[in-house]
Amino acid sequence: MANAMLHQTVGTLQLHGSSGIHCQDGNNSVRLVPKGFKVEVGFCKRGICSSGEKKFSVIQASASQTSVFDPVLSPSNNGTHESLKKSNEAALILIRHGESLWNEKNLFTGCVDVPLTKKGVEEAIEAGKRISNIPVDMIFTSALIRAQMTAMLAMTQHRRKKVPIIMHNENEQARVWSQIHSEDTIKQSIPVIAAWQLNERMYGELQGLNKQETADRFGKEKVHEWRRSYDIPPPNGESLEMCAERAVAYFKDEIEPQLLSGKNVMIAAHGNSLRSIIMYLDKLTSQEVISLELSTGIPMLYIFKEGKFIRRGSPIAPTEAGVYAYTRKLAQYRQKLDEMLH
């Protein structure tokens, strides 16, 4: 599984009414099967920590079809796409990756691609248990393996038992070899999109250095300034402000349209990229965001409705009743899961 997750995901996804997957070079498109659905993604390569930038259009479902991403919930047969935009409610789950090998060694990690520790694996699995009754239609991760491992391990605990599949579009062979030729299999899959824009902020010349030794060398105040200020970057690295520019832009351009169309989204990423997104969701100031701390492996739940994000906290356990009482839709989803699985 680790080898598969080491591949960074870039590419294009198109869902049409025909059978099979169509992959195309040039504008980079991939076709999957389900009827009445279409997702179009194009990408152009960019710079820092970059494996590709993907452009998503809104997923649309024909009124007579049940969602390929989650047949437990389907749009009203009488609703138009515009009415769905106004009335649809979607869940947004944010998860900071579990402990990595460099977290354990107290090293600055940034965009260096290191995996999870055993504790990190356990944190990811526990996170999965906490969201096991919340619908997930699409998954976005950074291009780094610790975030991708967290997403994959979390989904092994989901009661829906759909399979998260990283969408590969590195070259023509990768596109052709990753085709799926079964409609039923596609319906039981969740697309996983990896994007460098969700990477941890790049720590420049601090990457790989021990945090305590760095504080001893440059002084605690200077290192604290590099780590916790909003607009002061470490040497040849990114400030939180710079990280927020790319992470929030990607969220607004690529993820928010999916939520607007009613898709339930999970994002597995990093402390600083998620702090940036939360700054946007909660309308925090630059002073408020620098004091925001995120625990590893603890999911945060938001409800997106009528263009607004409402924070609903973090589920304590898969049986935590309060989480599913927040909205009727989440309660209905869990009830249908109970009916399907028992």
Side-chain angles (χ1 to χ4, degrees):
M1 183 179 76
N3 286 339
M5 289 189 291
L6 277 169
H7 293 290
Q8 294 178 349
T9 307
V10 292
T12 297
L13 175 65
Q14 289 187 329
L15 281 73
H16 292 284
S18 59
S19 179
I21 297 179
H22 175 70
C23 301
Q24 175 181 323
D25 205 357
N27 290 331
N28 299 296
S29 63
V30 179
R31 289 186 185 176
L32 300 181
V33 183
K35 298 179 180 178
F37 282 81
K38 182 178 181 180
V39 183
E40 295 183 345
V41 188
F43 78 90
C44 60
K45 293 185 177 178
R46 292 184 58 179
I48 186 170
C49 304
S50 174
S51 61
E53 178 182 4
K54 290 154 282 297
K55 296 292 291 181
F56 280 74
S57 65
V58 174
I59 298 174
Q60 295 181 335
S62 61
S64 62
Q65 296 294 327
T66 300
S67 169
V68 65
F69 296 111
D70 208 325
V72 173
L73 294 175
S74 60
S76 168
N77 288 342
N78 298 321
T80 64
H81 182 60
E82 282 302 313
S83 66
L84 283 173
K85 280 187 177 182
K86 294 178 181 179
S87 63
N88 254 17
E89 168 191 303
L92 172 64
I93 302 166
L94 308 180
I95 304 179
R96 182 185 176 189
H97 67 80
E99 182 188 66
S100 75
L101 288 170
W102 276 17
N103 292 147
E104 184 182 47
K105 294 178 180 293
N106 200 33
L107 305 181
F108 285 101
T109 310
C111 285
V112 180
D113 206 0
V114 297
L116 300 178
T117 61
K118 180 181 178 181
K119 177 183 176 182
V121 169
E122 292 170 350
E123 288 177 324
I125 291 172
E126 181 62 26
K129 292 177 181 177
R130 296 180 179 189
I131 62 168
S132 63
N133 289 297
I134 300 175
V136 177
D137 299 321
M138 298 187 70
I139 298 172
F140 290 85
T141 78
S142 77
L144 303 175
I145 191 172
R146 57 191 185 273
Q148 295 180 24
M149 287 178 71
T150 298
M152 294 299 197
L153 289 166
M155 291 310 296
T156 65
Q157 304 302 305
H158 202 281
R159 294 178 66 203
R160 190 67 184 84
K161 298 302 181 185
K162 287 194 172 186
V163 178
I165 297 179
I166 294 179
M167 309 308 298
H168 283 285
N169 200 24
E170 297 87 19
N171 53 49
E172 182 62 24
Q173 180 171 293
R175 289 190 289 271
V176 172
W177 285 18
S178 63
Q179 291 185 18
I180 305 171
H181 298 281
S182 165
E183 273 195 48
D184 290 339
T185 299
I186 291 173
K187 289 178 181 179
Q188 295 302 316
S189 303
I190 298 176
V192 181
I193 311 299
W196 71 268
Q197 293 91 334
L198 298 176
N199 281 11
E200 179 57 285
R201 74 178 172 118
M202 201 272 284
Y203 268 95
E205 295 177 16
L206 300 187
Q207 292 185 168
L209 300 184
N210 181 277
K211 293 177 182 178
Q212 184 57 53
E213 292 175 359
T214 305
D216 294 340
R217 176 182 174 187
F218 294 99
K220 291 182 180 179
E221 290 185 4
K222 175 56 69 175
V223 173
H224 182 78
E225 183 180 64
W226 287 334
R227 296 186 65 190
R228 286 294 177 257
S229 64
Y230 182 68
D231 56 0
I232 301 175
N236 293 316
E238 286 185 307
S239 64
L240 178 57
E241 182 180 32
M242 295 163 69
C243 178
E245 287 177 359
R246 58 173 166 87
V248 174
Y250 184 84
F251 181 89
K252 292 166 71 174
D253 292 344
E254 321 299 350
I255 300 176
E256 197 165 334
Q258 306 300 339
L259 295 163
L260 187 63
S261 71
K263 299 303 171 187
N264 303 290
V265 173
M266 183 175 86
I267 303 175
H270 308 265
N272 284 298
S273 55
L274 289 178
R275 288 166 73 204
S276 302
I277 290 171
I278 292 170
M279 181 182 181
Y280 168 69
L281 300 180
D282 290 347
K283 297 180 172 58
L284 302 179
T285 67
S286 58
Q287 288 301 309
E288 290 171 330
V289 74
I290 62 176
S291 62
L292 177 64
E293 295 290 343
L294 300 179
S295 300
T296 55
I298 303 296
M300 293 186 66
L301 174 65
Y302 285 82
I303 299 299
F304 180 70
K305 189 172 185 180
E306 298 178 353
K308 296 180 180 179
F309 291 94
I310 306 166
R311 190 196 287 195
R312 292 301 189 182
S314 176
I316 296 173
T319 57
E320 179 64 24
V323 175
Y324 311 103
Y326 288 143
T327 69
R328 177 182 294 181
K329 189 171 183 180
L330 287 181
Q332 289 175 339
Y333 181 85
R334 182 173 183 178
Q335 181 179 354
K336 290 184 178 180
L337 277 178
D338 290 340
E339 293 170 355
M340 289 174 59
L341 302 175
H342 293 292

